[in-house]
């Protein structure tokens, strides 16, 4: 059972991380960069002799505190945790090397009621350890499916981005690989839901699901290709809602509007997996 005050003030360990070019390249590979060997625009992200450039979505794994919700002291039913929403704000280009500090905190809890789950809002600030400069701020909404009814407040709830009427202006299909979750988890997101069939079954899934943040990475790739010309400094903000899981091996189709709105679906099942997306790019 969640203790509202205890979880709201739960001390998530600060993370100091020394980044190398290898980390930047691995992250890019883990979200599917480099699958087209003839696309030279991707080379700065996956080949150190051409960069490396850092995919801005890497902010979600830099300074990551790990699966801290699995700590029994949180009171969270960790098996039933699902990533609901993600927000990223880039204050400066992410460095390919050097030491960074990630500081994560719980910013809000919403009790949806007995049997209806709860929402946990958290925020991470990434700073340059040498200068103290703020590099990025990320925000997450985590759906605690097994933890409603603890007596917490029913709001406020962060509203979703509105979606445009009509057909998207651009459609991008990018494949995922059957073993992709095994690679992606080495970025520090080690929830066993994504690799262990037994854990996935206990959570109500027929097989392990792809990390939501890996899906975000694939979608960010599509957005960078179409709206940012693969420039690492172009993406300024991104937010989205995860609406359904992706299974490794499926193709993610990102549907993009020129005003920065987007959603994504898996081609094989025609199911929307990302909704209410919005990205802001510099000119």
């Amino acid at each position: 059972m969640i203790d509202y005050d205890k979880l709201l003030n739960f001390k998530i360990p600060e993370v100091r991380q020394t980044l190398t070019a290898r980390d930047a390249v691995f992250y890019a590979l883990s979200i599917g960069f480099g699958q087209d060997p003839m696309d030279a625009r991707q080379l700065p992200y996956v080949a150190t002799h051409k960069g490396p450039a850092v995919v801005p979505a890497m902010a979600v794994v830099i300074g990551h505190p790990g699966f801290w919700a699995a700590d029994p002291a949180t009171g969270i039913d960790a098996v039933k945790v699902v990533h609901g929403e993600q927000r990223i704000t880039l204050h400066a280009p992410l460095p390919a090397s050097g030491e960074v500090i990630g500081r994560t905190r719980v910013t809000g809890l919403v009790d949806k009621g007995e049997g209806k789950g709860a929402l946990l809002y958290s925020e991470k600030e990434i700073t340059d350890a040498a200068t103290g400069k703020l590099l990025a701020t990320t925000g997450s909404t985590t759906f605690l499916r097994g933890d409603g009814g603890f007596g917490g407040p029913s709001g406020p709830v962060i509203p979703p981005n509105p979606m445009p009427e009509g057909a998207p202006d651009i459609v991008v299909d990018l494949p995922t690989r059957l073993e992709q979750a095994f690679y992606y988890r080495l970025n520090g997101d080690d929830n066993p839901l994504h690799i262990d069939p037994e854990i996935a079954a206990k959570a109500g899934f027929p097989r392990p699901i792809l990390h939501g943040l890996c899906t975000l990475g694939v979608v960010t790739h599509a957005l960078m290709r179409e709206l940012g010309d693969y420039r690492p400094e172009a993406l300024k903000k991104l937010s989205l809602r995860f609406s359904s899981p992706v299974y490794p091996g499926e193709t993610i189709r990102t549907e993009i509007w020129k005003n920065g709105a987007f959603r994504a679906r898996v081609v094989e099942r025609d199911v929307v997996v990302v909704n209410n997306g919005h990205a802001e790019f510099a000119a």
Side-chain angles (χ1 to χ4, degrees), residues 2 36 46 112 120-121 123 149 153 158 164 178 190 202 207 239-240 253 261 274:
I2 286 177
D36 181 355
V46 296
K112 296 173 71 69
L120 183 150
Y121 295 115
E123 181 181 273
I158 298 174
L178 287 170
D190 52 2
K202 287 181 179 178
R207 58 191 176 101
S239 59
L240 54 77
R253 172 170 291 166
V274 165

Side-chain angles (χ1 to χ4, degrees), residues 47-64:
T48 54
H49 79 286
K50 287 285 188 177
V54 181
V55 180
M58 191 177 176
V60 299
V61 301
I62 291 176
H64 182 61

Side-chain angles (χ1 to χ4, degrees), residues 195-210:
I195 63 163
D196 189 325
E198 183 177 350
I199 298 295
K202 287 181 179 178
F205 298 107
R207 58 191 176 101
I209 62 175
L210 194 64

Side-chain angles (χ1 to χ4, degrees), residues 116-176:
K116 297 180 181 179
L119 301 176
L120 183 150
Y121 295 115
S122 60
E123 181 181 273
K124 180 183 68 178
E125 290 188 336
I126 304 166
T127 57
D128 185 297
T131 66
K133 182 178 181 179
L134 182 62
L135 301 172
T137 303
T138 69
S140 298
T141 305
T142 305
F143 184 29
L144 311 180
R145 295 186 299 155
D147 295 298
F150 59 88
S154 59
V157 175
I158 298 174
N161 298 312
M163 292 298 295
E165 298 288 340
D169 298 303
I170 305 164
V171 175
V172 181
D173 287 356
L174 293 173
T176 66

Side-chain angles (χ1 to χ4, degrees), residues 66-67 78-79 81-82 185 188-196 199 211:
F67 189 36
V79 172
V81 166
V82 174
R185 75 190 306 262
D189 197 341
D190 52 2
N191 185 343
L193 171 66
H194 305 292
I195 63 163
D196 189 325
I199 298 295
H211 301 72

Side-chain angles (χ1 to χ4, degrees), residues 1 36 200 229 282:
M1 174 68 73
D36 181 355
D229 194 31

